[in-house]
Amino acid sequence: MNSVIELLQSHRSIRKFKPVPLTSEQTEAIIVSAQMASTSSNVQAFSIVGVTDPQTKHTLAGLAGNQAYVEQCGLFLVFCADLHRIQAAVEMQQQPFHQNTESLLVATIDAALAAQNAAIAAESMELGICYIGGIRNNPEEVSQALNLPQLVYPVFGMCVGVPDQEPSLRPRFAQQAVYHENAYDSSKTRSSIDAYDEVTSEYYKQRSQGKINTTWSQGIADKYRQPVRAHIRPFLEARGFRLE
C-alpha cells in the first residue's frame, strides 16, 4: 500500500458541501490533472465547463433532478465529449471530417478518463466530489444553458468542494466477481450477485437505520425495468453525432 492506493480505495461520494469556493490554484490543479489523462491517439476529444455562477448552478441543479449539492458545491464541472474541436482541426487542414459511433465512443471515454483524473486530484487536496449523471436528464436544456456547440454533449457533471459530511464507504463487489483471469468466467455471475446482495442488504439497513430493506439486484431490476433515458439517441443525432 502507498498513499495513492490508499486515496483511491477511500473514495466516497460527497453530497453535502461547505459554502467555500475553490481557490484558483485548486481549480487549476484539477483541470491540469484532467488534461493529463490518457487520450486516444492524442485527440483530446473532451472539454470541461466549470460553473461557479449561482444562477447557472441553480438551473443545472434543477435540470439534473433537483440535486441540491449541485448548488452547494464550490465548483461544478461539466465534462463534455467534444468533436467540435476535432472537426475544426480537420477543416483547417481542408480535409473531409468523417465521424461515426467509434468517434462518439472515443470522445465519451476521453471525457470519463479526464474526469477520473480530476476526481483523484480533488480528493488528494482533501476536497470531495460527486458525479452527477442526472445532467443527462435534460441534455438539450443543459447544452443551451452552457452554450455548447454542435458535436459537443454533456456526459456528466461533477460536484467539487469542501466536504460537510463523513459518509461510510459503499461496499463493492468481491474482487473475484469483477476480475477474470485469461477469460470471462460467467459461471460465477449468479453466486457473486447473491453474495453482494447479502452485503448490500446489511449496508442499506445500517445506512437507513433499518428503514430501507432492499438489495443491489432489486435496485438494478427497478432501474432497468424500462428504458433509461431513451431520449439520448435522438438528442445526440440532433447535436450532429452520427451513430453508424
Side-chain angles (χ1 to χ4, degrees), residues 51-124:
V51 183
T52 55
D53 175 68
Q55 184 55 52
T56 305
K57 287 168 71 177
H58 176 75
T59 297
L60 294 177
L63 293 172
N66 297 314
Q67 300 187 63
Y69 29 99
V70 172
E71 291 190 73
Q72 295 170 350
C73 66
L75 175 66
F76 186 63
L77 300 174
V78 180
F79 289 83
C80 303
D82 187 349
L83 294 183
H84 173 76
R85 188 167 57 244
I86 306 304
Q87 181 184 44
V90 171
E91 291 177 349
M92 286 173 62
Q93 297 300 318
Q94 300 181 345
Q95 297 291 331
F97 176 55
H98 297 291
Q99 50 127 339
N100 56 13
T101 303
E102 169 66 7
S103 309
L104 175 62
L105 282 174
V106 165
T108 303
I109 293 167
D110 269 10
L113 292 173
Q116 191 59 13
N117 261 30
I120 296 166
E123 291 179 337
S124 75

Side-chain angles (χ1 to χ4, degrees), residues 150-219:
Q150 285 289 92
L151 292 177
V152 177
Y153 89 91
V155 182
F156 44 68
M158 180 189 291
C159 297
V160 186
V162 178
D164 195 21
Q165 62 177 182
E166 286 283 342
S168 59
L169 293 176
R170 186 188 296 266
R172 298 295 203 243
F173 270 102
Q175 180 176 311
Q176 58 266 31
V178 299
Y179 179 66
H180 305 260
E181 290 191 359
N182 300 314
Y184 196 107
D185 182 7
S186 59
S187 67
K188 60 186 180 182
T189 299
R190 286 183 174 270
S191 60
S192 296
I193 294 174
D194 284 338
Y196 191 53
D197 275 350
E198 291 186 17
V199 172
T200 53
S201 175
E202 185 61 29
Y203 168 77
Y204 292 133
K205 288 177 184 177
Q206 291 182 0
R207 183 179 179 182
S208 66
Q209 290 79 50
K211 297 177 182 178
I212 297 178
N213 183 19
T214 189
T215 65
W216 177 82
S217 64
Q218 288 174 337

